[in-house]
Amino acid sequence: MTTVRDATIKLLRAFGMNMIFGNPGSTELPMFRNFPADFRYILGLQESVVLGMADGYAQATRNAALVNLHSSAGMGHALGNLFTAFKNQTPLVVTAGQQARSILPYEPFLFADRPTEFPRPFVKWACEPARAQDVPAAIARAYYVAMEPPCGPTFVSVPVDDWDQPCDPIEPRRIAAINPGDPVMLAEAAEALAAASRPAFVVGAGVARDDGWDEVIALAERHTAAVWVAPMSARNSFPEDHPLFAGFLMAGREAIVKSLTGHDLILVLGGPMSLYHVEGFGPHVPEGAKVIQIVDNHAQAAWSPTGTAIIAHARLALRTLMAGPSPVSRAMPKARAPVPELDGRVMTSAYLLQQIARHRPAGSVIVEEAPSSRGAMHDHLPIIDRDGFYTCASGGLGHGLPAAIGVALARPTDKIIAVLGDGSSMYAIQGLWSAAQLGLPISFVVVKNGRYEALNSFGRIFGLQETVGTQLPDIDFCALARGQGIKARRAMNAQELDEALTASFSASSPTLVEAVVD
């Protein structure tokens, strides 16, 4: 007899989803009866950590990851990182337990009331199957929808007594979801690009998601185009040491217009350009500039305030543009000014990031959640390798630490360096336990400034004389790490920092560096 559990496990195996991220509760236990030897359960000590680990893993593998949560309580804990996964366009299949169908009319203990509504609007599709026999089909559909661009999380609520019910097995199907883009509009874009006198590219996370690294470099070089990074981009899509790299657009209307002034064609690839964090006024683009954006997210195309939008897979669209007309002759864009080297007499976050860049192993991957240090990172820690950077697209905290664990699971031969603010770290500090138990050689580097500095910066924008609730005294990150099985060192000056980073980056087990900065 085939059970719902048997049919589901067979499906998950076919989808390459044999790693389950979870924190189990009572209503999930029957799912794991006779747990198969070729599957692996990755335990997190809190559901937001679980979902963050799965997010990092799914991004790094480019395949949906399976997350197992506990009813409403577990889903509630995970919602912050579910929001981030939705903004990251990360494919996830999230399941949660539900109480037995026979007692649902009595509102039993630890049941989920209206379970499919709770995770919305941050899932693409949600279902609690009408019958036990429909569970495998629901999970199959959840996978297909999660993997369809724009990718994102889906959700299935499963009553506890469904797993042992008999059902017919279902076979996995192949669904081609990649959109190459409208050929007429892409041809028009190629002609406009070839005719432009001073084009600029704005690259977003979609280029990295669609693995268009080589293609965007080739297209930029062919057209001698300055390449900017889209505001708040959560991935790296262009080498930051390339002669055509122009810098990072700020998330403000006036700042974007100022940076792009002088360009007559702006080609936005793989992400929104008009993503604002502060109120602005005036035009959205420089006067006389034509905007063409190529994204995989119809919502981004719809809310963009200006320009032509083409819905397409970035890598395929870039290949089409490469086959377009030859460009007019253009001069090289002005090179970025070099950043002065810091001497370390003052331990700033900028100096810390400079030293990370100096000591990091070749090919290492940066996972970042240090919002107040992002500008310094842009200047002092260039990302130069394909798929070399991950951060959260939502602005929510608590994603970076567990995401680094997920990326490390997906890329076991690469050194993963998690650059974390002290405030950000405390949202998911129990993730260190999972890293220790898994033996992953991650370097956790905590930028300890003793406050929520990003909020202090925004307080100045709003004219606040004092920003309340932003001080974080008396947190001992070394003690927190050692208490969870991780070796840790504190660095309070340049010499201690170099020694701590060198030891951490060469370690074969997880380590933490607490860098105390001014």
Side-chain angles (χ1 to χ4, degrees):
M1 181 185 70
T2 298
T3 64
V4 168
R5 178 176 49 257
D6 296 334
T8 300
I9 291 295
K10 181 180 177 182
L11 270 176
L12 296 176
R13 187 178 286 118
F15 293 147
M17 300 172 69
N18 60 350
M19 192 172 289
I20 301 174
F21 296 84
N23 181 275
S26 55
T27 53
E28 292 74 54
L29 292 178
M31 178 182 180
F32 306 116
R33 192 191 311 277
N34 301 321
F35 194 66
D38 60 328
F39 275 60
R40 191 176 181 188
Y41 191 91
I42 305 298
L43 176 62
L45 299 184
Q46 208 263 8
E47 288 86 353
S48 65
V49 171
V50 165
L51 207 134
M53 291 192 296
D55 185 326
Y57 183 78
Q59 286 195 67
T61 60
R62 293 188 171 90
N63 189 35
L66 182 68
V67 182
N68 182 246
L69 304 175
H70 180 42
S71 190
S72 288
M75 175 55 70
H77 290 156
L79 276 178
N81 272 338
L82 184 69
F83 167 59
T84 291
F86 182 76
K87 289 296 186 179
N88 285 349
Q89 294 185 204
T90 303
L92 297 176
V93 176
V94 182
T95 64
Q98 172 65 294
Q99 277 288 7
R101 292 177 185 271
S102 63
I103 59 174
L104 286 178
Y106 312 114
E107 295 201 5
F109 188 65
L110 284 175
F111 89 117
D113 187 18
R114 294 184 290 180
T116 60
E117 297 178 35
F118 193 21
R120 293 185 186 274
F122 305 126
V123 293
K124 295 176 64 180
W125 181 75
C127 174
E128 184 174 89
R131 306 180 307 154
Q133 290 74 17
D134 299 327
V135 169
I139 289 176
R141 181 175 176 181
Y143 175 80
Y144 301 136
V145 173
M147 291 295 291
E148 179 184 12
C151 296
T154 55
F155 175 74
V156 182
S157 171
V158 185
V160 65
D161 52 339
D162 283 4
W163 294 107
D164 293 310
Q165 298 300 312
C167 77
D168 294 327
I170 64 171
E171 294 299 320
R173 297 180 295 128
R174 298 178 64 194
I175 298 179
I178 294 179
N179 177 8
D182 181 88
V184 174
M185 294 186 72
L186 285 172
E188 293 173 354
E191 291 174 2
L193 180 58
S197 60
R198 193 176 175 218
F201 293 178
V202 177
V203 295
V207 174
R209 286 194 301 267
D210 292 344
D211 199 19
W213 178 265
D214 291 337
E215 287 78 3
V216 75
I217 294 172
L219 189 68
E221 291 175 346
R222 183 173 191 234
H223 289 277
T224 322
V227 181
W228 294 84
V229 175
M232 304 294 185
S233 180
R235 300 283 296 276
N236 66 304
S237 299
F238 195 82
E240 295 169 18
D241 60 348
H242 194 284
L244 291 171
F245 181 68
F248 301 84
L249 294 182
M250 302 296 290
R253 188 185 304 190
E254 294 90 345
I256 290 172
V257 171
K258 181 179 179 181
S259 294
L260 296 176
T261 293
H263 295 289
D264 58 339
L265 178 73
I266 302 167
L267 180 63
V268 184
L269 298 163
M273 177 182 71
S274 303
L275 182 65
Y276 305 137
H277 195 196
V278 293
E279 187 179 19
F281 304 93
H284 295 276
V285 296
E287 183 178 356
K290 181 177 183 179
V291 176
I292 301 172
Q293 59 176 327
I294 298 174
V295 296
D296 66 354
N297 190 326
H298 58 276
Q300 290 177 6
W303 62 248
S304 179
T306 187
T308 298
I310 304 170
I311 311 298
H313 185 275
R315 186 177 73 250
L316 299 184
L318 284 162
R319 290 177 178 175
T320 299
L321 294 177
M322 275 294 292
S326 298
V328 299
S329 179
R330 304 182 181 112
M332 274 291 285
K334 184 179 178 180
R336 294 183 80 202
V339 177
E341 184 173 326
L342 304 174
D343 59 19
R345 284 181 290 182
V346 180
M347 268 280 287
T348 62
S349 60
Y351 180 75
L352 165 63
L353 292 160
Q354 172 187 282
Q355 296 309 100
I356 291 175
R358 178 169 294 171
H359 293 292
R360 62 181 291 200
S364 55
V365 179
I366 302 295
V367 182
E368 178 265 339
E369 191 179 288
S372 63
S373 301
R374 181 73 65 85
M377 187 187 71
H378 291 165
D379 292 336
H380 296 281
L381 179 53
I383 307 298
I384 60 177
D385 297 318
R386 164 194 247 120
D387 292 332
F389 175 74
Y390 299 82
T391 190
C392 70
S394 70
L397 300 182
H399 171 265
L401 192 156
I405 299 170
V407 174
L409 284 166
R411 301 175 62 167
T413 62
D414 296 326
K415 184 67 176 181
I416 311 301
I417 303 170
V419 180
L420 309 167
D422 48 1
S424 300
S425 299
M426 291 305 298
Y427 279 74
I429 197 67
Q430 60 270 66
L432 295 176
W433 178 88
S434 295
Q437 294 299 309
L438 295 166
L440 300 170
I442 304 169
S443 293
F444 296 98
V445 181
V446 177
V447 186
K448 185 177 180 179
N449 57 26
R451 58 191 178 271
Y452 292 126
E453 178 55 32
L455 290 181
N456 287 335
S457 299
F458 260 90
R460 291 188 284 273
I461 291 174
F462 295 130
L464 300 181
Q465 298 300 314
E466 180 184 359
T467 307
V468 300
T470 61
Q471 299 304 306
L472 302 173
D474 304 326
I475 301 176
D476 187 337
F477 288 94
C478 291
L480 289 168
R482 292 173 187 135
Q484 298 179 74
I486 288 182
K487 294 180 180 179
R489 296 177 66 164
R490 180 176 292 110
M492 301 185 68
N493 57 51
Q495 180 178 342
E496 291 176 352
L497 179 63
D498 285 346
E499 293 172 353
L501 292 178
T502 300
S504 178
F505 293 165
S506 62
S508 58
S509 58
T511 56
L512 183 141
V513 175
E514 180 183 13
V516 182
V517 301
D518 187 346

